[in-house]
Amino acid sequence: MQAKVGDHLVVESNTVGSPRREGEILEVRGADGAPPYVVRWEDGHEGMNYPGPDAHITHPG
């Protein structure tokens, strides 16, 4: 997985009826766009994330 600042991290829910999570990548701490990422989630919470297999990157705009 490779990302840049401003991309969005989308984590699909693995529980029926639970919504997916999406957040803006604020910082890329791995080499060449690799995780971990500092993400600001839709609810305003910020944190470091090591995405799992249920996640993907989108490029807004």
Side-chain angles (χ1 to χ4, degrees), residues 1-11 20-26 37 39-42 55-61:
M1 180 174 294
Q2 301 222 331
K4 62 184 186 316
V5 171
D7 286 349
H8 284 198
L9 178 64
V10 179
V11 180
R20 70 183 194 170
R21 294 181 69 197
E22 184 170 344
E24 180 183 357
I25 295 175
L26 303 177
Y37 306 125
V39 179
R40 180 184 306 123
W41 299 103
E42 293 171 313
H56 62 274
I57 301 293
T58 62
H59 310 283

Side-chain angles (χ1 to χ4, degrees), residues 9 11-12 15 18 23 26 29-30 32 34 36 40 42-43 47 54-55 60:
L9 178 64
V11 180
E12 301 295 342
T15 305
S18 294
L26 303 177
R29 295 199 175 174
D32 299 320
R40 180 184 306 123
E42 293 171 313
D43 65 1
D54 56 347

